[in-house]
Amino acid sequence: MTAAVSVIVTTKDRPHFLRHALESIDSQSRKATEIIVVDDGSRMPAESAVDMATATIPIRFVRNDVSKGVSAARNQGAEAAIAEWVLFLDDDDWLGTAFLENMTQALDSAAGMPAFLWSNRVDVYSDRQASKNLGPASLDHSNSNDQALEQLMQVSCSGMLFNAERFVRCGGFNESLCVSEDRDLVFRLLQQGVSARNVPDADLFFRIHDGPRLSNSDKKAVQARDDLSVIDTHRAFLKNHPAIADKFLGRVAKRLWSSGYCAEALRVSRMHWRLQPWSSRTIKRNVLWHVAALFRSGRKLQIRTAVAQ
């Protein structure tokens, strides 16, 4: 039997993006059970920007008068969902026409019950598109497929399909995080020994733009704190999964460095290097950053995490 899917769209002050995202859901070759739009504190209610008369799928709106953050908004949508599967979509992204059809076909053909599925990602810039071209990959209960683990670090939770019961059981998104909340969720699920798979024919179009993203904060110290907190929480898991650590630690180190937190960036980079001692990329970065740090006045991060010490 084909799985029922609730699509959860989180939005804030981007009605033009929201309309495009909703149109992509409504035009699917295989219809969703419902759409839940979580309006996380828009100045003008998101419902006023949507033409409900043209929708062929039931749309429900959940509104926060004051923003609670993207993690809380997604959790609200999951709590309101009625289907056994929940698909998260940020308002500035959209789905290929056969996205849900390909996702549900993958579920129907799965040997077991995967906890989640991830799609192919197509980055969309103002002047071009660039597909990640992710090939077929899957994770069994051993979570030992390096190719699949590397793929997971190239996608976000926007466009990921979760078993609703498993999502709730693991605690959903950590509402204290403004960045890396998607990595934290996936890390927690993988540590529970779940199976998962990629659906390379399901295209998520991921918009690259200069405006704020739902999962970002304009406070660099908060971003840095959250990144370091996720590393602290999952330190043992990262050490046991070098394919994930290689992608995640490298990304965090670069984000810290670009934000001016030189000391913390170097500590994360050293941790990365210890896990990948023969990587020319990590060796080069460590050498260049240590030299650059001698001439650069970095910010001081007033937080307490093991990585920051």
Side-chain angles (χ1 to χ4, degrees), residues 138-139 143-152 240-244:
S138 62
L139 293 166
N143 295 327
S144 59
N145 184 333
D146 283 353
Q147 177 193 3
L149 294 174
E150 289 175 3
Q151 279 192 15
L152 274 175
N240 290 328
H241 294 80
I244 280 184

Side-chain angles (χ1 to χ4, degrees), residues 13-61:
D13 289 329
R14 297 192 294 204
H16 53 303
F17 286 164
L18 175 62
R19 286 191 288 269
H20 189 190
L22 293 179
E23 288 169 3
S24 78
I25 302 168
D26 199 60
S27 62
Q28 290 292 298
S29 57
R30 191 277 192 197
K31 297 297 184 181
T33 301
E34 62 176 349
I35 302 172
I36 300 173
V37 177
V38 184
D39 178 1
D40 192 35
S42 294
R43 290 185 294 272
M44 180 178 292
E47 188 170 1
S48 65
V50 178
D51 184 359
M52 301 289 288
T54 63
T56 63
I57 303 170
I59 303 178
R60 290 189 283 150
F61 287 83

